[in-house]
Amino acid sequence: YSRSNIRLEHFGSENWVEDIHAVFHSIQKGVSLFNQFDLSQWYDFTRQTQHVLSRGDSQWSHNKILLQVSLEQPLNSLIRKSAESWLLTGNCNWPRLQRINLDADANDSNLIASYDRHSSNITMACKLNKNLIITYSENGKLIVWGTEKMGPKLECFFPGVQKCCNQSQNGEELCFGDDNGNITLIDINVIEKLRTKKIHKNEVCDCVFINEDTVLSCDRLGYACVFTLREFKITQHIKLDFQGEIKIEKFYGDNYIFWSEENYLSVWNILTGTCVFQLMPHSKDTTLIGIKKIQNNQILSWSINAYSSDTKWKIWASTGDLLSEFQEPEYKSIDGAVQTPDGNIFSYGFQ
């Protein structure tokens, strides 16, 4: 802990994780000063606090943050005990706050890494391969992260407010839609813009790959179109019966689901350009939070009541017929849901 404090006080948090891991790799090769559980605590701690330590400045330096987060570790944590031993030396000459209610035992963490380099909301994150992750934020910043050394490998900006993004099925390209109706294709391997075309007359709400060369997109006025990426040739036009922040979800075959928070949902065959069915899945006094395709080509939808904060779930057949519904009281928001292999629904949100 003392070495880490000196390192952060004088050199900041650059390469913090790499430094601490190099130290422990050396320890493992030589005389073992810690048991394996002690080592795992340090590994977990560095992964969890890397993004917090990077926020240090001239008034509240990195080593002060190190002390703060170290003392917030569980009571039997090696990191906490090391920080308390350092405090006994009398080197802490700044005011600090300390939490009272702490966990008693330190357990292994499932957290692999935590990153903090975006200054605006992250709108997309996806895995490129086993060693790379790509993230994109509202201000146009795109970052490629390395998972082995747990840090950014490349950062670049693509101007314009990008409203949606999707990755091609072969994993080689990204397709962006912006608030001016433009669609941009980016080569992931070299992170460079391949081509841009104005497809819509207003804000693109969502875009999804149909195959490696074909994309389906939709704008805020309810116009959807299918086009090829190589020539940006439009092959199908669709006019929805609703507008707003419209999202697209793959259904089955050539059928796709279009839905919005304003409680509208319709299924269209994009090959023929015909509507399979449309419905208002929930009552007018609710907000449609999300929809998900589940087994047997069924649709799961959930909404929240603006007055009671109750969440209602409904399951729809592939024909648009209501199969079942149930309600959860006093949930403020369900952010997402997935179906487990055994057919159960797993949801997450906040209360």
Side-chain angles (χ1 to χ4, degrees):
Y1 179 90
S2 298
R3 295 290 298 273
S4 299
N5 176 74
I6 295 172
R7 169 72 174 80
L8 291 172
E9 181 179 10
H10 295 287
F11 302 104
S13 64
E14 287 298 319
N15 302 318
W16 153 254
V17 173
E18 290 88 341
D19 285 355
I20 204 74
H21 284 190
V23 170
F24 288 112
H25 280 305
S26 299
I27 291 173
Q28 283 180 311
K29 291 179 181 179
V31 178
S32 180
L33 301 181
F34 305 97
N35 62 39
Q36 194 59 43
F37 182 66
D38 291 339
L39 282 174
S40 69
Q41 287 191 54
W42 279 102
Y43 276 107
D44 291 343
F45 179 71
T46 54
R47 287 195 297 262
Q48 293 171 19
T49 59
Q50 179 188 17
H51 68 296
V52 180
L53 290 168
S54 65
R55 299 174 183 173
D57 54 31
S58 58
Q59 292 185 333
W60 199 253
S61 58
H62 302 86
N63 65 308
K64 293 180 180 179
I65 299 177
L66 172 65
L67 178 63
Q68 191 75 46
V69 296
S70 297
L71 292 174
E72 291 183 359
Q73 299 302 301
L75 296 175
N76 73 336
S77 164
L78 172 68
I79 291 88
R80 178 185 173 86
K81 291 178 180 178
S82 299
E84 290 174 336
S85 297
W86 182 85
L87 278 175
L88 295 176
T89 63
N91 290 323
C92 179
N93 57 1
W94 61 86
R96 58 182 176 82
L97 299 176
Q98 186 166 329
R99 291 175 57 191
I100 298 176
N101 298 321
L102 294 168
D103 294 333
D105 298 321
N107 300 308
D108 289 334
S109 172
N110 293 320
L111 177 66
I112 297 174
S114 185
Y115 304 131
D116 184 14
R117 292 293 283 264
H118 286 283
S119 57
S120 61
N121 291 336
I122 297 174
T123 57
M124 181 275 301
C126 60
K127 176 183 176 182
L128 301 184
N129 54 51
K130 66 178 182 179
N131 297 322
L132 294 177
I133 295 172
I134 191 168
T135 58
Y136 184 83
S137 56
E138 286 181 344
N139 65 348
K141 190 173 187 178
L142 186 146
I143 303 178
V144 178
W145 306 87
T147 57
E148 288 185 335
K149 292 189 175 181
M150 294 184 293
K153 295 177 69 67
L154 185 148
E155 297 183 30
C156 55
F157 277 90
F158 291 95
V161 180
Q162 309 296 332
K163 303 298 293 185
C164 59
C165 175
N166 232 304
Q167 188 177 16
S168 63
Q169 295 171 354
N170 63 9
E172 299 292 322
E173 297 162 332
L174 290 175
C175 184
F176 288 89
D178 66 22
D179 59 347
N180 292 317
N182 298 310
I183 298 291
T184 299
L185 184 66
I186 293 176
D187 187 326
I188 290 177
N189 296 311
V190 294
I191 311 297
E192 73 174 17
K193 187 183 296 185
L194 296 178
R195 58 187 70 88
T196 299
K197 178 75 173 181
K198 189 174 180 64
I199 298 294
H200 295 271
K201 294 182 180 181
N202 61 90
E203 177 183 313
V204 180
C205 295
D206 204 0
C207 58
V208 297
F209 278 88
I210 298 173
N211 54 49
E212 293 180 6
D213 186 48
T214 310
V215 170
L216 170 65
S217 62
C218 185
D219 63 31
R220 180 171 281 276
L221 294 181
Y223 289 93
C225 61
V226 179
F227 59 92
T228 61
L229 283 174
R230 305 306 162 203
E231 302 107 13
F232 279 115
K233 179 182 178 181
I234 297 177
T235 60
Q236 187 66 262
H237 285 279
I238 294 173
K239 179 63 177 79
L240 304 176
D241 292 333
F242 55 93
Q243 302 179 3
E245 193 69 26
I246 300 171
K247 298 298 181 183
I248 305 172
E249 183 88 9
K250 168 73 175 176
F251 198 18
Y252 65 91
D254 296 318
N255 296 329
Y256 282 76
I257 304 168
F258 298 86
W259 65 278
S260 75
E261 290 185 354
E262 284 74 23
N263 217 343
Y264 292 99
L265 183 152
S266 61
V267 175
W268 287 73
N269 185 298
I270 60 170
L271 188 62
T272 62
T274 57
C275 181
V276 179
F277 66 82
Q278 58 184 353
L279 49 88
M280 182 174 285
H282 296 263
S283 59
K284 292 183 179 181
D285 59 347
T286 62
T287 299
L288 183 59
I289 301 298
I291 65 104
K292 196 79 174 179
K293 177 196 170 183
I294 57 176
Q295 62 187 19
N296 301 323
N297 292 328
Q298 296 172 355
I299 300 174
L300 171 70
S301 66
W302 63 95
S303 66
I304 185 171
N305 188 295
Y307 303 102
S308 65
S309 296
D310 291 342
T311 298
K312 177 164 284 190
W313 302 81
K314 293 186 179 183
I315 297 178
W316 306 85
S318 59
T319 57
D321 297 319
L322 180 63
L323 298 176
S324 62
E325 61 181 298
F326 51 97
Q327 186 165 312
E328 287 184 277
E330 299 179 357
Y331 274 86
K332 294 182 179 178
S333 177
I334 299 294
D335 297 320
V338 294
Q339 188 173 39
T340 60
D342 57 5
N344 293 320
I345 303 298
F346 173 78
S347 64
Y348 54 91
F350 64 91
Q351 192 170 15

